[in-house]
Amino acid sequence: MDSLQDKVLRQLQEIFDELFLDEIIVTPELAATEVEEWDSLTHISLVIMVEERFGIKFRVGEVEATKNVGEFINIIAERMNRLDG
Amino acid sequence: MSRELENSKISEAIPTLSKLLSNNKGAFWQSLINYTDAATTFNEMISLAAIRKKALKSGDIPMPSGLDSTLRIALIGGNSLYPLSSLLEHVVSLKIGRAEIFTGDFNNYRAEIVDTSSKLYQFNPDIVVLLPDNSICRYTGTINDLDEDIYKASESLGSDLFGLCSILQNEIGAETILCNYIPSPYFDLGPLRTRSLASDWNFKKLVNLYLGSKAPNFVHILDLEFLAYRIGGLASKDEKSFFESKQLCSPTLQVALAKEIVHIIEGRKASAKKVLVLDLDNTLWGGIIGDDGIDGIELGDTSPRGEAFKALQTYILSLTRRGLLLGICSKNDYENAIEPFRRHPEMVLREGHIVSFKANWKPKAQNLIEMANELNLGLESFVFVDDNPAEVENVRQFAPSVASILLGPDPSEYVRQLQDSRLFERSSITKEDLNRTDNYQMESARRSLLVSSLDMDSYLSSLEMVGTIKKFNKIDLPRITQLINKSNQFNLTTRRRSETELEDIMTNPSYTSFSLRLSDRFGDHGLISVVICRAVDDSVLEIDTWLMSCRVLNRQVEEVVFNEIVELGRTIGARKIKGFYKPTKKNSMVKDLYTMLGFDPVDSPQDSVEFELSIDAASHKATHISITGRE
């Protein structure tokens, strides 16, 4: 069985495919600094897309504090769990 | 289309477009445009924007033609202007052409406007979109202050913004799209929220009222308050994104905002729709007149459905007061179709409101084409409304320049569908608009006179025509702008210009421009011809623009205008008059105008024919129009 984290990762891959022009393989270890297109501006769009797609709201400053995709996924998963429960 | 259908459609957008990208390149752009029109969320728009960029990057899908011009848009304001700039770029590129977008620094718009050496000036925009900061739109006194003081504060805020816009107009020549304010949707203040003009809720609305009703003509107000109301106050807000990246509003409202900016840009020069053509059965009334009879159709206050149809008619009648003409196009026997207009007590629309009534069994597209010929109007100024998808499809295929509205299954939605179609919007309503139906009805009276007159000369003389020639002036400018942007047929050069550009021409000494009004014993035609001349040097007067409303064709207005142009040439001491004919799809009727007036063709650059007339050789043309009130 897929964990929630795996599901989130797959959906995140879809968002990356739609947002970025280059093909980017999304992994938990991936960080913004490794992707040329992922600058502070596209980051704003990415956060908005994730909120809309997953139906969640991040808290102020929360995403900025994450170091890589894995930590980002953890917040998404946690927020989704709270919605379910 | 139901909301569910739209959603399921838009959710398939990306896979569908990706497929088209690899195997049906021809359909890609139109499909992208349709999906973009339907898109309402940030996700949808950004994904569509990305797939467009991928298509361009791949390099083997050329952009559709007509989108090759470049528009320079500056976005400045009190907030972060990304991702709005991305959304805007996407919509502009599909609707207008290549977009060069400048984004100002966060909350630096005053400096950018006042400092003529700023990056904004270096960018030299065609259009400036100004989103002023929310933080200044607050009443700084106390909640108990006198209403007059609060009004005064709102006005000074508004006029300060207009001041900034007029700097942009004077220094750059750019028109400004000025966004108004979004009143806060929170319960704060309770009863005082509505009681005191000083509350955020009331004060922002006061400022917005001032901006909307007092905007000078080089300022286009973007009604953000309305857009926020439309999608919902709470849905318009996103507090976190303000703190994190200084966003003005929620992503969903930014999508609506980007689309509205483009709508305003397009609307500046678009020609307004002139004729609304309506189906009858299940459009103007419920049921089939040929089967149900005049007593059987549903119309009027006796049933909810009947009331809904009547409400539609009432709304349509109100459109005629904005200058729209009405036509009927129905598959019916004429006698059946006309009967409710004459005899049904609940009919709001009557025979006198209809300028062309087609009730027959011919294809509707064919009827529309005939109607356009009769009224001397282009099909692109027609809107067609029908509840039958097959009829709408027929028109879309065979008269594609007609805009059509397919009514849904519920007549209670009909008025809303028309009101939301965005086809009947006007930035101003001129006196000519208010009298238009009368004018067309007068035209039929004149035509019957023509039949009874023995020859053209005595017919024209019997009309007792009076012409008034005037230099361009502020009062006439809205009508002049309207004619310049919508006249297609009698238009020698078809140069479109905005009101601001025309104001510049008014004050530029090398231009001489005039308009002509015509009236006759049946009534006033209003302002029907516009000429812009430019003195190229001391010896040549060039006719930059010459157009005329087709409803005064064959009335010798051309000759009167010609006489006036020659007179102008003599006044400035010119030896020659130069004219151009720039062919378009629609202006072939004036192909031979200059030749007929005695001009000689001299040169034919690729897209136009140039004509010349020596002033000494110009003869005064006798007409039956007496000229009064020249100034």
Side-chain angles (χ1 to χ4, degrees):
Chain A
M1 270 276 283
D2 270 0
S3 71
L4 181 56
Q5 260 79 358
D6 293 333
K7 277 186 205 154
V8 171
L9 181 72
R10 267 205 313 280
Q11 274 187 277
L12 212 50
Q13 179 69 56
E14 275 175 32
I15 293 175
F16 272 64
D17 291 344
E18 287 172 22
L19 174 64
F20 294 109
L21 303 188
D22 295 330
E23 220 169 287
I24 296 158
I25 309 295
V26 184
T27 61
E29 294 74 32
L30 185 72
T33 47
E34 298 162 38
V35 181
E36 203 192 323
E37 280 184 76
W38 191 349
D39 57 15
S40 59
L41 292 183
T42 41
H43 181 74
I44 296 173
S45 293
L46 176 68
V47 171
I48 298 172
M49 287 179 89
V50 168
E51 285 192 329
E52 262 187 20
R53 201 73 69 94
F54 290 92
I56 57 165
K57 276 280 171 199
F58 296 114
R59 295 165 194 163
V60 64
E62 195 170 43
V63 178
E64 210 182 349
T66 59
K67 284 192 285 295
N68 57 28
V69 169
E71 291 186 23
F72 191 38
I73 289 175
N74 286 341
I75 305 177
I76 299 170
E78 181 226 343
R79 226 27 63 80
M80 289 173 76
N81 269 330
R82 295 196 51 188
L83 284 179
D84 292 345
Chain B
M1 196 180 292
S2 77
R3 190 62 211 159
E4 288 85 340
L5 260 174
E6 267 174 41
N7 279 340
S8 71
K9 218 181 115 199
I10 191 81
S11 69
E12 290 157 18
I14 298 306
T16 308
L17 287 167
S18 305
K19 230 178 279 166
L20 291 178
L21 201 49
S22 49
N23 54 30
N24 185 358
K25 299 179 162 69
F28 175 79
W29 289 107
Q30 192 51 53
S31 179
L32 180 61
I33 290 170
N34 295 346
Y35 281 125
T36 301
D37 281 341
T40 54
T41 70
F42 188 84
N43 261 280
E44 291 159 2
M45 286 286 277
I46 288 296
S47 316
L48 292 166
I51 203 159
R52 179 180 58 86
K53 287 182 196 153
K54 284 175 194 168
L56 289 176
K57 210 174 155 195
S58 77
D60 59 353
I61 308 191
M63 285 290 288
S65 62
L67 293 175
D68 28 30
S69 61
T70 300
L71 192 69
R72 305 175 70 76
I73 307 172
L75 277 179
I76 56 175
N79 293 81
S80 164
L81 300 157
Y82 179 93
L84 179 61
S85 55
S86 279
L87 299 168
L88 182 62
E89 198 250 345
H90 177 65
V91 187
V92 170
S93 72
L94 294 179
K95 297 275 178 176
I96 298 171
R98 228 166 61 79
E100 292 262 2
I101 296 183
F102 166 89
T103 47
D105 294 328
F106 164 64
N107 213 359
N108 195 31
Y109 63 96
R110 266 168 212 280
E112 284 161 343
I113 292 171
V114 176
D115 172 10
T116 54
S117 64
S118 72
K119 284 190 195 138
L120 173 67
Y121 282 79
Q122 289 161 28
F123 175 71
N124 193 25
D126 303 313
I127 307 266
V128 178
V129 182
L130 172 55
L131 300 112
D133 50 331
N134 255 297
S135 59
I136 60 159
C137 191
R138 263 199 333 237
Y139 181 65
T140 48
T142 73
I143 202 97
N144 293 324
D145 281 353
L146 292 173
D147 284 358
E148 296 107 88
D149 294 333
I150 302 170
Y151 272 113
K152 233 179 262 165
S154 71
E155 288 176 18
S156 86
L157 232 146
S159 58
D160 168 62
L161 289 171
F162 290 155
L164 291 173
C165 298
S166 77
I167 297 177
L168 291 168
Q169 152 72 4
N170 294 333
E171 300 295 326
I172 309 184
E175 291 173 50
T176 307
I177 296 175
L178 174 63
C179 294
N180 65 12
Y181 292 99
I182 310 169
S184 160
Y186 304 125
F187 280 121
D188 194 34
L189 277 176
L192 274 178
R193 185 180 58 253
T194 173
R195 190 94 181 75
S196 166
L197 295 180
S199 72
D200 175 82
W201 175 250
N202 277 336
F203 189 68
K204 286 209 170 80
K205 290 198 292 184
L206 269 190
V207 174
N208 288 349
L209 276 175
Y210 179 83
L211 292 175
S213 59
K214 302 289 183 213
N217 57 20
F218 52 87
V219 176
H220 307 271
I221 298 294
L222 192 156
D223 198 353
L224 205 50
E225 176 187 353
F226 170 79
L227 290 183
Y229 173 78
R230 195 176 153 88
I231 71 169
L234 292 174
S236 304
K237 285 288 194 178
D238 188 342
E239 306 300 347
K240 168 176 55 58
S241 76
F242 173 76
F243 292 109
E244 284 192 344
S245 59
K246 298 293 172 280
Q247 297 299 319
L248 169 68
C249 56
S250 71
T252 314
L253 184 54
Q254 293 201 32
V255 170
L257 171 56
K259 289 185 167 190
E260 190 64 14
I261 292 171
V262 175
H263 182 78
I264 291 175
I265 293 174
E266 280 187 303
R268 279 158 62 244
K269 295 189 180 182
S271 49
K273 301 296 177 193
K274 293 171 204 155
V275 191
L276 173 59
V277 183
L278 301 150
D279 169 50
L280 294 179
D281 294 330
N282 290 316
T283 294
L284 286 192
W285 53 69
I288 315 275
I289 184 71
D291 297 340
D292 303 321
I294 190 154
D295 306 323
I297 56 172
E298 294 170 286
L299 178 67
D301 301 334
T302 48
S303 73
R305 270 175 62 84
E307 264 186 81
F309 285 108
K310 189 175 176 184
L312 176 69
Q313 292 199 16
T314 306
Y315 174 67
I316 290 168
L317 184 64
S318 77
L319 287 176
T320 66
R321 300 199 191 99
R322 300 187 205 166
L324 213 68
L325 300 170
L326 300 182
I328 298 294
C329 183
S330 165
K331 285 194 171 155
N332 257 311
D333 288 332
Y334 179 80
E335 285 312 316
N336 288 334
I338 195 77
E339 201 187 0
F341 287 84
R342 291 179 176 158
R343 284 189 40 227
H344 199 293
E346 296 282 347
M347 280 291 285
V348 176
L349 297 175
R350 296 282 161 182
E351 230 179 325
H353 299 123
I354 312 296
V355 295
S356 178
F357 202 108
K358 304 270 182 203
N360 55 43
W361 302 92
K362 287 191 270 189
K364 295 211 172 183
Q366 192 186 330
N367 274 319
L368 287 169
I369 292 165
E370 284 173 20
M371 211 182 267
N373 288 334
E374 270 168 39
L375 298 172
N376 226 339
L377 293 167
L379 279 172
E380 70 291 331
S381 59
F382 278 64
V383 179
F384 171 67
V385 178
D386 205 309
D387 67 302
N388 182 341
E391 301 295 0
V392 169
E393 191 48 39
N394 174 269
V395 169
R396 281 185 184 156
Q397 270 189 35
F398 298 102
S401 41
V402 173
S404 38
I405 299 175
L406 173 61
L407 296 171
D410 182 355
S412 72
E413 297 278 329
Y414 286 3
V415 172
R416 179 196 70 76
Q417 266 194 279
L418 262 59
Q419 287 178 328
D420 251 2
S421 70
R422 309 213 73 167
L423 293 169
F424 311 113
E425 298 179 2
R426 305 256 162 146
S427 53
S428 62
I429 291 179
T430 64
K431 232 165 62 193
E432 278 78 6
D433 290 331
L434 298 176
N435 295 326
R436 189 160 294 139
T437 303
D438 292 347
N439 283 332
Y440 277 82
Q441 280 161 356
M442 282 186 307
E443 188 57 32
S444 2
R446 274 183 210 101
R447 280 191 187 150
S448 53
L449 184 65
L450 178 60
V451 174
S452 61
S453 302
L454 286 174
D455 59 62
M456 197 63 189
D457 220 40
S458 47
Y459 160 67
L460 288 173
S461 136
S462 73
L463 286 175
E464 297 162 20
M465 293 182 286
V466 178
T468 310
I469 293 170
K470 268 191 190 173
K471 283 190 178 159
F472 283 11
N473 60 60
K474 286 230 165 197
I475 297 171
D476 289 336
L477 210 55
R479 168 65 177 164
I480 290 169
T481 312
Q482 191 185 47
L483 276 176
I484 282 188
N485 290 305
K486 74 174 194 188
S487 300
N488 292 315
Q489 302 182 80
F490 194 107
N491 194 337
L492 273 307
T493 52
T494 321
R495 292 203 173 104
R496 308 299 194 200
R497 286 187 167 108
S498 69
E499 200 166 321
T500 317
E501 289 169 323
L502 290 168
E503 264 189 342
D504 289 341
I505 283 177
M506 250 167 75
T507 53
N508 186 330
S510 58
Y511 283 95
T512 334
S513 314
F514 65 88
S515 64
L516 181 87
R517 289 173 175 275
L518 186 75
S519 61
D520 59 31
R521 69 181 167 105
F522 294 104
D524 189 4
H525 292 278
L527 198 160
I528 42 74
S529 186
V530 172
V531 173
I532 300 175
C533 291
R534 189 167 70 94
V536 179
D537 54 47
D538 289 346
S539 65
V540 179
L541 184 70
E542 194 176 281
I543 305 166
D544 169 290
T545 295
W546 180 354
L547 58 85
M548 187 179 85
S549 159
C550 286
R551 61 174 191 252
V552 294
L553 264 182
N554 303 324
R555 304 287 290 273
Q556 299 180 327
V557 172
E558 305 90 305
E559 281 86 350
V560 167
V561 168
F562 170 81
N563 289 341
E564 182 67 17
I565 292 173
V566 172
E567 194 57 43
L568 274 178
R570 291 211 168 100
T571 315
I572 65 159
R575 285 186 293 113
K576 263 193 289 186
I577 296 173
K578 239 185 213 182
F580 301 91
Y581 168 63
K582 279 182 88 171
T584 67
K585 274 190 198 142
K586 293 171 195 145
N587 71 351
S588 60
M589 69 159 62
V590 290
K591 184 163 55 102
D592 298 316
L593 179 73
Y594 283 123
T595 322
M596 270 157 35
L597 292 169
F599 284 69
D600 294 317
V602 287
D603 188 18
S604 295
Q606 269 195 333
D607 58 340
S608 72
V609 190
E610 195 175 324
F611 295 90
E612 249 180 40
L613 176 73
S614 146
I615 292 247
D616 296 333
S619 56
H620 184 86
K621 313 275 183 210
T623 71
H624 290 286
I625 302 173
S626 57
I627 299 298
T628 61
R630 181 192 275 113
E631 37 171 275

